[in-house]
Amino acid sequence: MSETTIALVTGANKGIGYEIAAGLGALGWRVGVGARDDRRREDAVAKLRAAGADAFGVPLDVTGDASVAAAAALLEERAGRLDVLVNNAGIAGAWPDEPTAVSLAVLRAVVETNVIGVVRVINAMLPLLRRSAHPRIVNQSSHVGSLTLQTTPGVDLGGVSGAYSPSKTFLNAVTIQYAKELGDTIKINSACPGYVATDLNGFTGTSTPAEGARPAIRLATLPDDGPTGGLFDAAGPVPW
């Protein structure tokens, strides 16, 4: 692009989201750090700026209509468009949790953040994305959302999950439907970061947040002949 690329990463104040923002910032992009906690968001922005990134804070709670609308208005004012949206914000609920015991309140909260929140943010940001010459959307998914992997004998995905895993399967289905509607006008894909050590899993993961950020960064920087409507990890396509 001839102009500076503008990106927004949700849930970017820590963990994988922060590393995605850092990776995109290292490319010379201008990166909006979306997060609902004011102090953590501004601390992350300060750290990114100290490392040389052109970062700015975007107050954003993906579960709130008013918050998401305000974030879109801020990006309109600051940049006038959006080139890349990375929907990274997510919660695990009580995972692992058996479906016979899962709290319906937890299930609703997980779906509200991991699925409805993504739809809310995408739809609010679409007018800005449509002003970009090369718009990209990346939805942060997981291997545990793959029905194929979940039903493959011998594949260990960390136990039974009544909320988190189904929410990622739901998100994958949503990604496909957006791809069908948007065609090649806006490329949209799901990313699997792998089993990353973050607070989402009590830091039990086996890879670093920087490693987990790589699939999303690759999808955010796809060339115009790149794929859309797929699920990818560091090694390539992941079966649905």
Side-chain angles (χ1 to χ4, degrees):
M1 301 178 187
S2 58
E3 300 176 287
T4 299
T5 303
I6 309 298
L8 171 65
V9 183
T10 70
N13 62 290
K14 60 182 179 178
I16 300 171
Y18 175 85
E19 294 297 340
I20 294 171
L24 298 179
L27 298 175
W29 293 15
R30 192 176 183 204
V31 182
V33 176
R36 59 186 177 182
D37 186 284
D38 293 340
R39 182 184 61 78
R40 290 178 179 176
R41 182 182 61 251
E42 294 313 313
D43 286 349
V45 169
K47 185 178 177 181
L48 288 166
R49 286 177 176 169
D54 184 2
F56 62 98
V58 180
L60 179 58
D61 179 352
V62 302
T63 67
D65 291 342
S67 177
V68 173
L74 176 62
L75 285 163
E76 170 78 55
E77 178 185 345
R78 289 284 191 93
R81 74 175 197 284
L82 182 62
D83 300 302
V84 173
L85 169 62
V86 180
N87 289 301
N88 171 77
I91 61 173
W95 182 81
D97 50 352
E98 296 171 341
T100 55
V102 66
S103 159
L104 294 183
V106 168
L107 179 59
R108 289 189 185 99
V110 170
V111 172
E112 179 66 45
T113 299
N114 295 359
V115 183
I116 297 172
V118 171
V119 172
R120 181 180 287 114
V121 173
I122 290 175
N123 289 350
M125 300 299 167
L126 271 177
L128 295 169
L129 286 161
R130 288 192 167 111
R131 297 176 192 168
S132 171
H134 310 273
R136 306 284 184 264
I137 301 173
V138 182
N139 294 333
Q140 194 75 289
S141 186
S142 170
H143 291 99
V144 303
S146 167
L147 294 176
T148 299
L149 295 180
Q150 285 281 3
T151 54
T152 299
V155 174
D156 181 10
L157 294 176
V160 179
S161 170
Y164 180 73
S165 175
S167 79
K168 292 302 184 180
T169 306
F170 192 174
L171 177 61
N172 290 342
V174 166
T175 299
I176 291 172
Q177 298 308 312
Y178 270 110
K180 290 172 66 175
E181 178 183 359
L182 298 174
D184 266 340
T185 60
I186 300 177
K187 293 188 181 298
I188 179 169
N189 292 285
S190 290
C192 295
Y195 190 33
V196 179
T198 68
D199 57 2
L200 187 140
N201 56 41
F203 298 97
T204 59
T206 55
S207 59
T208 68
E211 291 169 333
R214 290 172 188 166
I217 292 172
R218 183 172 64 83
L219 293 172
T221 58
L222 283 176
D224 288 343
D225 61 352
T228 191
L231 176 64
F232 301 90
D233 63 11
V238 175
W240 295 115

